[in-house]
Amino acid sequence: MKNIHNCAIIIAGASGDLAKRKLIPALDALYKQGKICNNIAVIGTGRSNFTNEQFRSSFAISDDFASHLHYYKNTAGIKQFIEALGQFSKIVIFLSLPPSAYAVAAKEFADERFEQQVSIVIEKPFGYDYASAKLLNSQLAEYYDESQILRIDHYLAKEAVQNIMVFRYGNTVFNPVWNSHYVESIQINAIEQLTIIERAGYFDKSGIIRDMVQNHLLQLLALLTMEAPVTLNPHDVKMQKICLLNSIKIEEIHRYQYDTYRGENGVDSESTTETFAEIRLSINNMRWAGIPVYIRTGKAVHRKGTEIGVRFKAPPKVLFNENGDIPANQIIFKIQPAEGIVLDIATKTPGADEQISPTYMNFCYNQNFTGNNPEAYQKLLFDALRGDHTLFVSAEETETAWKLFEGKLDRGDVVHYTTGKLPQSKFDIRWIDFDYYANFCA
Ligand code: NDP
């Protein structure tokens, strides 16, 4: 893989939390690994006043990398500032700003009329609903070609997520059973212990469905269920994801709120924002018609974990299964914090009786692969610098995903649940016991 040279990286909103916790540390790590080297400049911008020294000292990074950091207040004239720093063949602008500032900032940078090739990287949330996502896309399209826009979904950069396609298409044994003939249901569980902490301002206006489902979890589902792309070319992969997203129908949503939420700093005392949601959806295509997909996601529950479960149909009630008590096979994709795959199987218990036990086979990243597993933002920034769009989301993908939720957001009652516990499910289904797999690969 080629290293990056002669590149200027502008971080708009460089005094913010994302720049401090993720972006600058990720660039520092890429620099230490030698992936970005020779004639690199990182320019922080914003409304705040910083000298270069103050800006550099606000990050815990090596002195060597810090010498490549510069600060420029506001945007007007940044082109000349960068020209004075050196000759760069490419400029990547990371909008690490509140979403309300994306369109204005994108225009301000376009007004600078850089001579070099420019890409613009945008963080989630990309829109608030279908109409706002469409508007933002059209505003960006006034100044940038789609090939210059990189919309981040950091879930896509996780190794365990990228492995979903390899698992499906690199292993002959799984591909034939990946359909409604063999699968009983698909269940996605994405939960965390943390409450909203300091993100109340953003979260209370969004809720967990906008924060997690429309973007990250639908992307996971698309990779899990889409048809095989013709090639790994980003265009071909996105085509299949869009096809899959277009066949989804949101059938049922239940919303919940943790009991201490309305007392959190910055939250409306009568807020009806959901902090937990359960969703049932269907995928109406030849492969998946009739197979329910359940999504369960939220904050302030008993543990952190993102897992996808594929539950297979039970074997027929013959032989060892006359009573129908052999557990169905399940495949669990563990996405975070521990990464791996677990396959549940039935096995004969040693001894004379024909007793069957549920056992498992597993693959864990931390046991099978040693060495550096780069953090998501390292991968995303490196790909943004290389101009590789594979891990970024297109305008059509975001709009298609938002469209699914038209008329379905912020609807219905919010039921309160005890902080630190999963709310009682309103779906009369057998949820996969995801807690059972929590310690696998840990
Ligand atoms: P912040 O709210 O900390 O804002 C970043 C910077 O933007 C601020 O320091 C400020 O810098 C500038 N800013 C604030 N308001 C405005 C405005 N109205 N117009 C122009 N500039 C403004 O954001 P974060 O750093 O937390 O996040 C950046 C983006 O990334 C957001 O869209 C967020 O939703 C997204 N994101 C953040 C995550 C995180 O972990 N923090 C995780 C996932 C996504 P100055 O005052 O110097 O101009």
Side-chain angles (χ1 to χ4, degrees), residues 13 15-19 21 46-48 71 95-102 123-125 199 377:
S15 60
D17 175 69
L18 187 72
R21 284 195 309 112
R47 302 163 306 177
S48 306
Y71 189 79
L95 299 186
S96 186
L97 298 166
S100 57
Y102 290 161
E123 254 297 345
K124 84 164 198 188
R199 296 185 72 214
Y377 277 91

Coordinates of all heavy atoms in Angstrom, one line a residue, residues 13 15-19 21 46-48 71 95-102 123-125 199 377, ligand 1:
G13 N -12.7 23.0 12.8 CA -13.3 22.6 14.1 C -12.2 21.9 14.9 O -12.6 21.0 15.8
S15 N -10.5 22.7 17.4 CA -10.5 22.8 18.9 C -11.5 21.8 19.6 O -11.6 21.8 20.8 CB -10.9 24.2 19.3 OG -12.2 24.5 18.8
G16 N -12.2 21.1 18.8 CA -13.3 20.2 19.3 C -12.9 18.9 19.8 O -11.7 18.5 19.7
D17 N -13.8 18.2 20.3 CA -13.6 16.8 20.9 C -13.1 15.8 19.9 O -12.2 15.0 20.2 CB -15.0 16.4 21.6 CG -14.9 15.1 22.2 OD1 -14.2 14.9 23.2 OD2 -15.5 14.1 21.6
L18 N -13.7 15.8 18.8 CA -13.4 14.7 17.8 C -11.9 14.9 17.4 O -11.2 13.9 17.3 CB -14.3 14.8 16.6 CG -14.1 13.6 15.6 CD1 -14.7 12.3 16.2 CD2 -14.8 13.9 14.3
A19 N -11.5 16.1 17.1 CA -10.1 16.3 16.7 C -9.2 15.9 17.8 O -8.2 15.2 17.5 CB -9.9 17.8 16.4
R21 N -9.7 13.8 20.4 CA -9.7 12.3 20.8 C -9.4 11.4 19.7 O -8.9 10.3 19.9 CB -11.1 12.0 21.4 CG -11.3 12.5 22.9 CD -12.4 11.9 23.5 NE -13.6 11.9 22.8 CZ -14.2 10.8 22.2 NH1 -13.7 9.6 22.4 NH2 -15.3 10.9 21.5
G46 N -10.6 27.2 12.8 CA -11.8 27.4 13.6 C -11.9 28.9 14.0 O -11.1 29.7 13.5
R47 N -12.9 29.2 14.8 CA -13.1 30.5 15.3 C -12.2 30.9 16.4 O -12.0 32.1 16.8 CB -14.5 30.8 15.6 CG -15.5 30.5 14.5 CD -16.9 30.3 14.9 NE -17.0 29.3 16.0 CZ -18.1 28.9 16.6 NH1 -19.2 29.5 16.3 NH2 -18.1 28.0 17.6
S48 N -11.7 29.9 17.1 CA -10.8 30.1 18.3 C -9.5 30.7 17.9 O -9.0 30.5 16.8 CB -10.6 28.8 19.0 OG -11.7 28.1 19.3
Y71 N -2.0 26.2 12.9 CA -3.3 26.7 13.2 C -3.6 27.9 12.4 O -2.7 28.8 12.3 CB -3.6 26.9 14.7 CG -5.0 27.2 15.0 CD1 -5.9 26.1 15.1 CD2 -5.5 28.5 15.1 CE1 -7.3 26.4 15.3 CE2 -6.8 28.7 15.4 CZ -7.7 27.7 15.5 OH -9.1 27.9 15.7
L95 N -14.4 18.1 7.9 CA -15.3 19.0 8.6 C -15.7 18.4 10.0 O -16.6 17.7 10.1 CB -16.6 19.2 7.8 CG -16.4 19.9 6.4 CD1 -17.7 20.1 5.7 CD2 -15.6 21.1 6.5
S96 N -14.9 18.7 11.0 CA -15.1 18.2 12.3 C -15.9 19.3 13.1 O -15.5 19.8 14.1 CB -13.8 17.9 13.0 OG -14.0 17.3 14.2
L97 N -17.1 19.6 12.6 CA -17.9 20.7 13.0 C -19.3 20.2 13.4 O -19.7 19.1 12.9 CB -18.1 21.7 11.8 CG -16.8 22.3 11.3 CD1 -17.2 23.0 9.9 CD2 -16.3 23.3 12.3
P98 N -20.1 21.0 14.1 CA -21.5 20.6 14.3 C -22.2 20.5 12.9 O -21.8 21.3 12.0 CB -22.0 21.7 15.1 CG -20.9 22.5 15.7 CD -19.7 22.2 14.8
P99 N -23.1 19.6 12.7 CA -23.7 19.4 11.4 C -24.3 20.7 10.9 O -24.3 20.9 9.6 CB -24.9 18.4 11.7 CG -24.4 17.7 13.0 CD -23.6 18.7 13.7
S100 N -24.8 21.6 11.7 CA -25.4 22.9 11.2 C -24.4 23.7 10.5 O -24.7 24.6 9.7 CB -26.0 23.7 12.4 OG -25.0 23.9 13.3
A101 N -23.1 23.4 10.7 CA -22.1 24.3 10.1 C -21.5 23.6 8.8 O -20.7 24.2 8.1 CB -20.9 24.5 11.1
Y102 N -21.9 22.4 8.4 CA -21.3 21.7 7.3 C -21.4 22.5 6.0 O -20.4 22.7 5.3 CB -22.0 20.3 7.1 CG -21.7 19.3 8.1 CD1 -22.6 18.2 8.2 CD2 -20.6 19.3 9.0 CE1 -22.3 17.2 9.2 CE2 -20.4 18.3 9.9 CZ -21.3 17.3 10.0 OH -21.0 16.3 10.9
E123 N -18.5 14.1 8.9 CA -18.8 13.1 10.0 C -20.3 12.9 10.0 O -21.1 13.7 9.5 CB -18.3 13.8 11.3 CG -17.1 13.2 11.9 CD -17.3 11.7 12.2 OE1 -18.5 11.2 12.3 OE2 -16.3 11.0 12.5
K124 N -20.7 11.9 10.7 CA -22.1 11.8 11.0 C -22.5 12.8 12.1 O -21.6 13.2 12.8 CB -22.4 10.4 11.5 CG -22.2 10.1 13.0 CD -22.8 8.9 13.6 CE -23.0 9.0 15.1 NZ -23.4 7.8 15.7
P125 N -23.7 13.3 12.3 CA -24.8 12.8 11.6 C -25.0 13.5 10.2 O -24.7 14.7 10.1 CB -26.0 13.2 12.5 CG -25.5 14.4 13.2 CD -24.0 14.2 13.4
R199 N -23.1 14.6 25.7 CA -23.6 14.8 24.3 C -25.1 15.1 24.3 O -25.7 15.0 23.3 CB -23.2 13.6 23.4 CG -21.7 13.4 23.3 CD -21.4 12.3 22.3 NE -21.7 12.7 20.9 CZ -22.1 11.8 20.0 NH1 -22.4 10.6 20.4 NH2 -22.3 12.2 18.8
Y377 N -10.4 5.3 12.9 CA -10.1 6.6 12.3 C -8.8 6.6 11.6 O -8.6 7.3 10.6 CB -10.1 7.7 13.4 CG -11.6 8.2 13.6 CD1 -12.4 7.7 14.5 CD2 -12.1 9.2 12.7 CE1 -13.7 8.1 14.7 CE2 -13.4 9.6 12.9 CZ -14.2 9.0 13.9 OH -15.5 9.4 14.0
Ligands
NDP1 P1 -17.8 20.0 18.8 O1 -19.2 20.4 19.2 O2 -16.7 19.9 19.8 O3 -17.3 21.1 17.7 C1 -16.1 21.1 17.1 C2 -15.7 22.6 16.8 O4 -16.5 23.2 15.9 C3 -15.7 23.5 18.0 O5 -14.6 23.3 18.9 C4 -15.8 24.8 17.5 O6 -14.5 25.4 17.2 C5 -16.5 24.6 16.1 N1 -17.9 25.1 16.1 C6 -18.8 24.9 17.0 N2 -20.0 25.5 16.6 C7 -19.8 26.0 15.4 C8 -20.6 26.7 14.5 N3 -21.8 27.0 14.8 N4 -20.0 27.2 13.4 C9 -18.7 26.9 13.1 N5 -17.9 26.2 13.9 C10 -18.4 25.8 15.1 O7 -17.9 18.8 17.9 P2 -17.0 17.4 18.0 O8 -15.6 17.7 17.9 O9 -17.5 16.6 19.1 O10 -17.6 16.6 16.7 C11 -17.4 17.1 15.4 C12 -18.3 16.4 14.4 O11 -18.1 15.0 14.5 C13 -19.8 16.7 14.8 O12 -20.6 16.7 13.7 C14 -20.2 15.4 15.6 O13 -21.5 15.1 15.5 C15 -19.3 14.4 14.9 N6 -19.0 13.2 15.7 C16 -18.3 13.4 16.9 C17 -18.0 12.4 17.7 C18 -17.2 12.6 19.0 O14 -16.8 11.5 19.6 N7 -16.9 13.8 19.4 C19 -18.3 11.0 17.3 C20 -19.0 10.9 16.0 C21 -19.3 12.0 15.3 P3 -14.3 26.9 17.2 O15 -15.1 27.5 18.3 O16 -12.8 27.0 17.4 O17 -14.7 27.4 15.9

